[in-house]
Each structure stands twice: as C-alpha cells, then as structure tokens.
C-alpha cells in the first residue's frame, strides 16, 4: 500500500563566504560558513489515493520537500518514510541527456532506477507507446520540445509502475495537450491507490489534481488541510 | 518501507541487486561514450584517432625527429604515456563528473557510487584505442611480442586499479574545490614528470633512482617497459607498489565519497 510520512524532517544548506553551497565536510575546509534551513520540523503523512498540492511563495520549501520525498535530498534531521515506487518530474529536462535518443534515455533512466537492462529493453515499446512519441522516440532528445521531454519522462514512470508521482511546476510550463495527459495520468494513479504531490502556482490546475493542500512558508508547514481552504487562507496573505 | 534519517543513505531501488548495478554502470558509460564519440560511422575513426591526436605527436617526435639513445626510445616513451593517459583522463573527467550529471542527480535517486566507476569505464574504452600506439611503436622498432606479453592482463589490471583509485578522491575534490580543478590536474600531471616517463628507470642513478621509485607511476611505467621493451617479467614491486597505492586511495576515497554523496544535489544546483 502506497504511503509516505515525514517526521520533524529538516534539510540544511551550508554556504561558504561566496554564497556557494558546500557539503558539511567541505564546510570544514572553508572559512565563514553560514547555514540556512530549507525545511525544518516538517511532519506530514500521505495516504493511498491522495492528491496533495504544495502552495507557497518562491523559496518557501516546496521544491526542497519534493526532493526530500524523491530521495534526492537526505534529511539532515528527522525522518522520511516512503512506501512505494517514486517517479518525479522535477525539472523540464527531467533528468534526460540531450545527445541520447528517447530510447537510450528511457533505458538509462530505468536501469538507474534499478531495473535490469534486459527487462528495461523489453519495456521500451511500452514507453514509446505511453509517451506517444512515435518515430521521435528514436531521435536525440536535443530535438525534443519541452512537452515531448516531459511526455518521455512520464512514459518511463508509467512503465516503471511508479505509485508516487512528484511534480514541481513542470506541468505549468507545458502545453494544454500535455496538461490533459498529465491530469488523466494523475487521476488514474490516485484511483489505483497511488499518491500525487504537485507544487506550483497554477491553482486551478492544482485544484483539478489535488484534494489536499499544504502551505509552506520559510521551510515550515503553515497550514495543512482541504485544498480550497488552504488556498484561500494562503491567497489572503499574499 | 523505505526509511531515511540523518546519516543514513536511502537504499537504492533494489530490483535486480548487483546485476542491476552493473547494468546501470554499463548504461552510464554508454551514455558517456555517446557524448564523446557521437553516433554514426565516424565514431570508430574518432575513437581510434583520439589517442594519436593527444600523444601521438610526442611519439613521432621521439621516434623520427630526435635521435635519442637507449633501446627503442619511442616504444619506451609509449610505455609511460599510454598508462598515464588512462590515469590523467580519469582524473580530468572525475573532477567534473558530479556536475556533469546534474540533470539526473536533481531528478532521481540512484546509487551515486556509479559516477566515478562509470568515468573509469568510459576512460578504459578510450584507453583500449591508445594501446594501438604501443603496437605501432613495436612495428616501427621491429620489436616482436614475446611470452612476457602474458603478463599484460595483470599489468592492465593494475593500471585500471590505479585509475579507479584516483577516481573517487578526484570526484570529491571537484565537488569541494570546483575552481581548483586545473590545479589538481597540474598536480597529477606532475606525477608523470617525477617518474621515469621520458627515460627508463635504469637510465637514472643515485638518489634520483631511489626517489623516483616512491612514485606509484614508476612501477606502472616500468612494468610496461618490462614486457614490451626489456623482454622480462615485471618485478614484484612494480606491480605491488602501485596496487597498494591504489588500494589506499580507494580505502580513503570510497568512504569519503559515500559520506558526501547524499549532499551532491545541494551542491550541483
């Protein structure tokens, strides 16, 4: 059963005196290191079938929370528990390498995700079909539009059998055709007991994807509840 | 259930265990090679000619222009240039390897240990083409291969081990001190010049002879010369010392790298 929970989770960033991010060990080798918490004391739980919208101004911690859930960031304090396979669309390029074809990128993403190469190769026709890329699937990703890149990434996640989908404003930069595909995909995922977490500023679209809203401010959860209620409270402060 | 807390790395998406790890390594190296050599019929030619463009000029100079003393000077030089090319190319790419994979690091979770290993694998693919330089020099000097060539797989293994040893610390150095990458490369390049790269160790003497042996590259270069120039088996120290040096680098570099890999996404953005 798909679910996730964070308990008092925090993500810390260390900066050197030139304001470049450094690792904790790297910080010991530099002078004038300052720290900022991108997230702090975040405790949330998600149940199967939930669509969760992350609201908040830029720099409030939405992307940091999505990356924490994706396992891209590790918590510097607290814990994160995820039960389910995660797929993420956290940037326009979605982890794709431009010189590689759609087929090669799909193979790379699946094998990096832990799928055996032979299995991944056997699934490529499904990815091609799920992404609706047709002949473009055999062409380098550098020739793709943003929407095609997102479709490929989504096609891989669909084939992957991911049960948690993380979206970071990517959907907002894409055309209406892809938005419709994404909405359909997200609803189907939630109906199957999966979870969708989407961050962004396009509230009408978030309302179609999500029933729950979490308002983040300065890396902390300001309000967690029904999407409409959270949105109204958030907008009242903007 | 996948639980993550400070200090604990999330386990990778275990679907196929070690086999899946090897497959992912293969896929990453394949992607690197596509970057480097492109696609189409020209890529084989580029792969073959790259080492000649990089170091071939020195060999031409030594073999056909400068008349130096000693047995097969061009072949002797190739025996140092070729293995060193794998080491320096590995360091060059490893120092930028984490930033080069920014788009994947920022979008998905995977075992980041793959990055330096894939770098070495990519360089090995390039290195195999540079072995043809030795073959060409053997033809030029009319040196026939002898039974000593049976040592070559072991010598090759030590060469790869040394490159792998450098890969992890180099990757971390590139992460910590991105602005000092060129300095790091210069330091590693110095290892060539404080080893018997231009002349065999036997052509040196006194304190220099003893000091040069402290450089792990010395053993590596001399083991190539033993097989291809001097028709003898490599001395034990020539293989053991670079191997121990590489194992020390790995013993320090891998734990350091693993401790830092959870922070990569923060730094590369």
């Amino acid at each position: 059963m798909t679910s996730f929970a964070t308990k008092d989770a925090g993500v810390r960033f260390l900066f050197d005196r030139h304001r470049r991010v450094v690792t904790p060990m790297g910080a010991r080798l530099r002078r004038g290191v300052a720290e900022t918490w991108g997230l702090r004391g975040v405790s949330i739980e998600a149940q199967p079938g939930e669509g969760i919208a992350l609201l908040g101004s830029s720099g409030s911690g939405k992307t940091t929370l999505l990356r924490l859930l994706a396992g891209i960031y590790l918590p510097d304090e607290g814990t994160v528990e995820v039960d389910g396979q995660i797929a993420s669309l956290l940037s326009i390029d979605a982890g794709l390498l431009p010189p590689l074809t759609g087929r090669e990128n799909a193979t790379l993403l699946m094998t990096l995700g832990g799928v055996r190469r032979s299995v991944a190769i056997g699934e490529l026709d499904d990815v091609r079909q799920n992404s609706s890329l047709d002949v473009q699937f055999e062409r380098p990703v550098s020739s793709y539009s943003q929407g095609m890149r997102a479709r490929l990434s989504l096609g891989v996640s669909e084939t992957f059998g991911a049960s948690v989908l993380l979206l970071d404003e990517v959907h907002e930069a894409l055309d209406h055709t892809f938005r419709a595909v994404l909405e359909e995909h997200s609803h189907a995922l939630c109906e199957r007991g999966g979870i969708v977490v989407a961050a962004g500023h396009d509230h009408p679209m978030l309302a179609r994807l999500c029933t729950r809203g979490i308002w983040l401010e300065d890396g902390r959860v300001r309000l967690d509840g029904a999407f409409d209620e959270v949105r109204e409270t958030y907008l009242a402060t903007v | 259930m996948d639980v993550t807390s400070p200090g604990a790395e999330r386990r990778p998406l275990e679907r196929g265990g070690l086999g899946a790890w090897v497959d992912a390594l293969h896929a990453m190296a394949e992607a690197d090679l596509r970057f480097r050599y492109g696609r189409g019929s020209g890529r084989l030619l580029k792969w073959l000619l790259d080492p000649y463009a990089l170091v071939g000029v020195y060999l031409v100079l030594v073999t056909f222009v400068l008349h130096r003393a000693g047995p097969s000077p061009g072949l002797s030089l190739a025996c140092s240039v070729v293995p060193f090319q794998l080491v320096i190319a590995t360091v060059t790419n490893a120092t930028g390897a984490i930033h080069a994979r920014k788009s994947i690091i920022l979008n998905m979770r995977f075992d980041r240990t793959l990055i330096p290993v894939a770098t070495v694998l990519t360089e090995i693919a390039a290195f195999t083409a540079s072995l043809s330089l030795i073959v060409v020099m053997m033809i030029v000097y009319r040196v026939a291969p002898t039974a000593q060539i049976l040592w070559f797989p072991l010598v090759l293994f030590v060469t790869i081990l040394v490159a792998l040893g450098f890969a992890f610390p180099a990757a971390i150095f590139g992460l910590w001190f991105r602005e000092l990458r060129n300095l790091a490369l210069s330091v590693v390049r110095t290892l060539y010049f404080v080893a018997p790269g231009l002349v065999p160790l036997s052509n040196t003497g006194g304190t220099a002879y003893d000091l040069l042996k402290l450089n792990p590259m010395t053993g590596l270069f001399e083991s190539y010369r033993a097989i291809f120039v001097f028709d003898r088996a490599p001395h034990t120290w020539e293989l053991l010392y670079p191997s121990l040096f590489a194992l020390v680098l790995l013993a320090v570099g891998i734990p350091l790298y693993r401790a830092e890999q959870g922070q990569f996404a923060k730094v590369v953005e």
Side-chain angles (χ1 to χ4, degrees):
Chain A
M1 197 166 64
T2 305
S3 65
F4 70 74
T6 68
K7 190 175 179 189
D8 292 327
V11 176
R12 184 181 57 172
F13 292 89
L14 298 171
F15 299 91
D16 67 9
R17 60 199 168 102
H18 303 294
R19 300 297 294 166
R20 287 175 302 205
V21 178
V22 292
T23 66
M25 234 181 275
R28 289 185 206 154
L29 304 169
R30 294 180 182 270
R31 288 176 290 136
V33 173
E35 72 169 36
T36 302
W37 287 84
L39 279 183
R40 194 122 208 222
V42 172
S43 299
I44 52 174
E45 285 183 24
Q47 300 305 323
E50 277 197 302
I52 303 171
L54 301 181
L55 305 175
S57 56
S58 297
S60 58
K62 301 188 296 295
T63 300
T64 305
L65 179 54
L66 287 170
R67 287 180 179 167
L68 184 69
L69 294 173
I72 293 166
Y73 289 160
L74 299 179
D76 292 301
E77 62 179 23
T79 59
V80 179
E81 298 176 9
V82 178
D83 195 355
Q85 185 72 41
I86 294 174
S88 44
L89 271 174
L90 302 183
S91 62
I92 289 291
D93 62 20
L96 302 172
L97 302 178
L100 304 187
T101 63
R103 181 178 291 274
E104 290 161 351
N105 266 294
T107 311
L108 178 65
L109 290 178
M110 284 199 280
T111 50
L112 282 180
V115 176
R116 290 302 309 264
R117 186 179 173 83
S118 53
V119 176
I121 289 170
E123 297 290 331
L124 289 174
D125 285 341
D126 277 355
V127 177
R128 182 184 168 134
Q129 199 175 349
N130 290 338
S131 57
S132 313
L133 283 169
D134 201 19
V135 293
Q136 297 287 345
F137 192 58
E138 313 301 339
R139 293 185 184 152
V141 164
S142 54
S143 67
Y144 286 17
S145 66
Q146 289 182 347
M148 288 162 72
R149 289 176 192 217
R151 281 215 308 268
L152 175 59
S153 197
L154 195 67
V156 171
S157 76
E158 211 165 334
T159 309
F160 226 105
S163 53
V164 180
L165 179 62
L166 307 175
L167 303 166
D168 189 11
E169 298 182 12
V170 173
H171 48 286
E172 297 180 1
L174 302 170
D175 61 40
H176 286 86
T177 311
F178 179 74
R179 286 178 177 218
V181 170
L182 189 62
E183 279 182 42
E184 190 185 335
H185 178 84
S186 301
H187 288 138
L189 181 65
C190 288
E191 278 168 21
R192 290 199 304 269
I195 298 172
V196 175
V197 186
H201 302 283
D202 182 346
H203 292 179
M205 181 170 183
L206 290 177
R208 291 195 296 275
L209 292 176
C210 310
T211 52
R212 179 179 165 191
I214 295 176
W215 172 16
L216 290 166
E217 191 176 61
D218 297 331
R220 293 178 182 272
V221 175
R222 176 89 181 262
L223 188 62
D224 183 354
F227 177 78
D228 289 336
E229 178 195 331
V230 173
R231 178 178 60 174
E232 279 173 29
T233 314
Y234 165 62
L235 289 176
T237 65
V238 176
Chain B
M1 180 81 74
D2 197 355
V3 183
T4 321
S5 56
E9 171 65 275
R10 274 182 161 185
R11 68 177 188 273
L13 302 175
E14 290 284 346
R15 290 191 161 194
L18 180 64
W21 194 87
V22 172
D23 284 348
L25 186 63
H26 175 193
M28 282 186 90
E30 198 175 39
D32 284 351
L33 290 169
R34 283 248 186 276
F35 264 119
R36 184 172 304 185
Y37 299 113
R39 56 187 76 242
S41 52
R43 65 184 167 170
L44 182 65
L45 197 62
K46 187 173 185 321
W47 171 72
L48 274 171
L49 294 181
D50 255 6
Y52 291 86
L54 283 169
V55 295
V57 64
Y58 301 116
L59 299 180
V60 168
L61 193 71
V62 167
T63 309
F64 301 109
V65 181
L66 303 173
H67 294 285
R68 294 185 42 202
S72 317
L75 178 58
S76 176
L77 184 64
C79 286
S80 64
V81 165
V82 169
F84 191 71
Q85 192 55 36
L86 176 63
V87 173
I88 194 75
T90 298
V91 173
T92 304
N93 286 337
T95 50
I98 296 168
H99 282 92
R101 288 166 179 84
K102 174 182 171 177
S103 71
I104 302 179
I105 288 173
L106 287 174
N107 199 69
M108 71 183 292
R109 175 172 57 138
F110 67 96
D111 185 0
R112 270 79 161 136
T113 317
L114 286 163
I115 295 173
V117 184
T119 302
V120 176
L121 203 58
T122 304
E123 294 310 330
I124 289 170
F127 171 74
T128 49
S130 69
L131 289 174
S132 68
L133 287 168
I134 293 180
V135 176
V136 168
M137 286 296 112
M138 287 175 80
I139 293 169
V140 167
Y141 288 102
R142 293 190 177 82
V143 176
T146 67
Q148 303 300 341
I149 206 159
L150 295 174
W151 285 97
F152 188 60
L154 182 61
V155 171
L156 191 62
F157 173 78
V158 175
T159 311
I160 293 168
L161 190 64
V162 171
L164 190 64
F166 274 103
F168 284 90
I172 286 296
F173 186 89
L175 185 79
W176 286 347
F177 304 107
R178 199 178 177 191
E179 68 280 13
L180 297 179
R181 272 185 69 192
N182 289 337
L183 179 69
L185 292 177
S186 297
V187 169
V188 175
R189 202 170 284 122
T190 305
L191 284 178
Y192 181 83
F193 295 102
V194 292
L198 302 174
V199 293
L201 185 64
S202 53
N203 284 18
T204 64
T207 315
Y209 180 88
D210 295 326
L211 287 176
L212 288 175
K213 284 173 85 173
L214 293 175
N215 183 341
M217 296 299 141
T218 300
L220 209 56
F221 299 168
E222 290 301 297
S223 61
Y224 276 76
R225 286 183 180 127
I227 296 172
F228 296 112
V229 181
F230 299 123
D231 189 19
R232 65 166 171 84
H235 296 310
T236 308
W237 74 267
E238 290 171 354
L239 296 176
L240 203 57
Y241 183 59
S243 301
L244 285 174
F245 178 80
L247 290 175
V248 169
L249 282 180
L250 287 170
V252 174
I254 291 177
L256 195 63
Y257 184 93
R258 292 185 71 84
E260 289 289 77
Q261 64 181 350
Q263 306 288 332
F264 288 173
K266 292 179 187 171
V267 178
V268 296
E269 187 159 39

